[in-house]
Each structure stands twice: as C-alpha cells, then as structure tokens.
Amino acid sequence: MTIKRLLIAAIAGSLYLNLNAVTLDYPQEIIKVSDNGFDVVITKYESGYINTELNRIDDSVIDAAIKSDGVITLPDNVMHEGISYDIVRITGIMIGVEGIKTVILPKHVKYMDGCFEDCQDLSTIVFNEELEFMMLSMNNLQSLTDLTFPETVFTIGEACLNYLAIREVDLSNISNVMKCSCSGWPNVKRLVFSSNFGGTELGTFCGLPNLEEIILPETSGLLSPQIFLDCKNVRKIYARSTTPPVLGDWGIAGQFVNDDEGIFSEELSTENNLDKSTCLLYVPEGTETAYQNDEYWGRFKNIVGYDYSGLSKVKAEE
C-alpha cells in the first residue's frame, strides 16, 4: 500500500498514520457521545492521538434552526467524563437538508468527509483556520454564490466543490486538487492558482462555460488529463512557470497525454473545447521558445512573452 493510499485511509478514520515515523497507529478505545443533539465518536489510538468526529445532527436541531434564522453552529468540542475534546473531523452531515442557510464549522476541525451535499438553501459555510483536507463534500449547492476559504493551506480531495453557483473563488490557499473536483461552476470567469500550487488530478476544473482567464502557478507542477474540460470560452492563459508545466496521466509525471485526452481536452466535439488558435498564452519573457517547442504547449498558436517580475498578482491585459 502506498503512502498516498495510507494517508487517504487515515483521513477516512480507519487508522492514524504517523508520516514522520511511517508507522500505523491502531484504535485503542472508541467512545460514543451524544450532546445537545450532536453525535460524536471519540477514538483514542495507541500513540495517544485522539480523533473526535462529529457524524450526526439530530433532526430536532435542524428543525429548530429552520424555524429560527436558518443558522447551525456546529460545536467546537464535546464533554466526556469531565474532559473536553476538540472536534477535529466532521463526517456525513447535512445531506439533502433544506431550510438551512448558514453553517458555522467547529473551530478546530481539520477533516471534512461526505458533508454538505444537495442542500439547496445553503448559501454560507463559515470555515475555521485549521482545515487541512476535505473529500466527497460540498456538491450541488445552488444557493452558494460566495465561497471564502480559510487562510491556511489545505487540500481538496476527491469529488468536492462540484456544481456550485459561486461567482468567484480564491484558490490562493489550495495546495492540491484531487480527481473529479471543482467542476460545474457556470458563473466563474477567472481562476487564479497560488504561485506554488502542487498539482491536479483527473477531471478537475471542468464545465466552466464562462471561464475566460486562467492564471497558472509559478511552479511546473503536474497538470493531469481533462483539467479544464468543457471550458470553451477561455481567451487568456497566464503560464507563470519558467519551465512548461508537465502534463501527466493520473498524477504521474512523464506519462504524457495526446490531443485526444489532453488539458483543455479535445476528445469531445470541437465546439465545446478551447480554441488553441485564438487563445493567448502569456509566458515569462525569454521562455517563449521553450513553450513553443513543448509537446503540448506548442500547440497554442499565440504564445506571448510577459513580464511577471515584481508582480504579486497578474493584471489582466486589455
């Protein structure tokens, strides 16, 4: 089993992985607590690590919030035998719930798994500053027009943040995006990746019909197949890396893809795909030849040198 798969398993709650020591840490004691309509599982591991997981909200709590102001504040901690345990994980809550407009996350939650799906009235999620990872969460939220991520760096796992009504999004604190995430944003026109963004996996940032401008990272991290699929209106791409970003298959560098499965994929009908003959590709001055000679990036017909020096943010060209 790879380290990556072990990490996913750890996040899923089946075990805790100490990455520094590369050892497995097994549960020693599991305690179930119900407090004020919230069900929490406290898992104590052999190493002393404690995972406190909120996994159910009683209907009475939801009904009371709907009748009031539509706001649910998730508890920051739970008491058991006189000891307070910080809630660090939320799992499987708020699926298909109507009438809730705002959810305030626990202050110390680090992991989110299978939460906030098909909640048609949910317009605000208040994050904390300790979030590290989310997966299978925040999909099909048609009232969520504004999304403000925490200022801490975190990873978006598999199948997250799809089919949202957001108008803009700040990606500056997102380190990586795993497969099948961040797609179906019909109102987003501009994407700005952090300068040291790590990379993406298969099928991310797809189905953004009004996306016009993309600002890629300064790093040459991996961009995987079918990123930006069905983003047919992209007019400008700012490639900040002095080395053409690597295109790979399923997150594996060096496994290059062809025109049938590439970035801004062309495997569907041409009317749905980016037009490389008209889209402007801005690259760091002096790297034009490297991009022109690249197996993929050379397919863009309009490669323009751009002075990125001294710029904290790329300014849109008129």
Side-chain angles (χ1 to χ4, degrees), residues 32-56:
K32 296 182 179 180
V33 179
S34 183
D35 187 14
N36 295 318
F38 297 96
D39 290 352
V40 177
V41 176
I42 303 169
T43 304
K44 298 182 179 181
Y45 290 83
E46 293 176 346
S47 67
Y49 173 79
I50 299 175
N51 180 69
T52 307
E53 174 186 308
L54 169 64
N55 60 15
R56 180 179 175 273

Side-chain angles (χ1 to χ4, degrees), residues 48 104 241 247 264:
I104 301 173
S241 173
L247 304 181
F264 310 105

Side-chain angles (χ1 to χ4, degrees), residues 80-130:
H80 177 67
E81 295 183 348
I83 301 175
S84 176
Y85 295 88
D86 290 337
I87 293 174
V88 297
R89 177 183 173 84
I90 56 176
T91 303
I93 61 171
M94 296 287 294
I95 308 298
V97 175
E98 297 182 1
I100 297 299
K101 300 177 182 178
T102 299
V103 176
I104 301 173
L105 301 185
K107 291 181 179 179
H108 305 290
V109 72
K110 299 181 183 297
Y111 309 119
M112 179 193 304
D113 183 2
C115 299
F116 312 117
E117 302 269 335
D118 302 309
C119 299
Q120 298 307 308
D121 300 311
L122 185 59
S123 59
T124 303
I125 297 177
V126 180
F127 291 91
N128 61 35
E129 294 303 321
E130 296 187 26

Side-chain angles (χ1 to χ4, degrees), residues 9-29:
I11 293 169
S14 60
L15 53 86
Y16 170 67
L17 174 63
N18 183 332
L19 289 177
N20 292 323
V22 195
T23 58
L24 300 182
D25 192 8
Y26 294 95
Q28 189 175 44
E29 182 181 8

Side-chain angles (χ1 to χ4, degrees), residues 247-268:
L247 304 181
D249 185 17
W250 287 88
I252 303 173
Q255 293 189 9
F256 290 94
V257 295
N258 56 37
D259 251 343
D260 291 330
E261 300 181 52
I263 186 174
F264 310 105
S265 178
E266 295 163 355
E267 67 176 359
L268 300 182

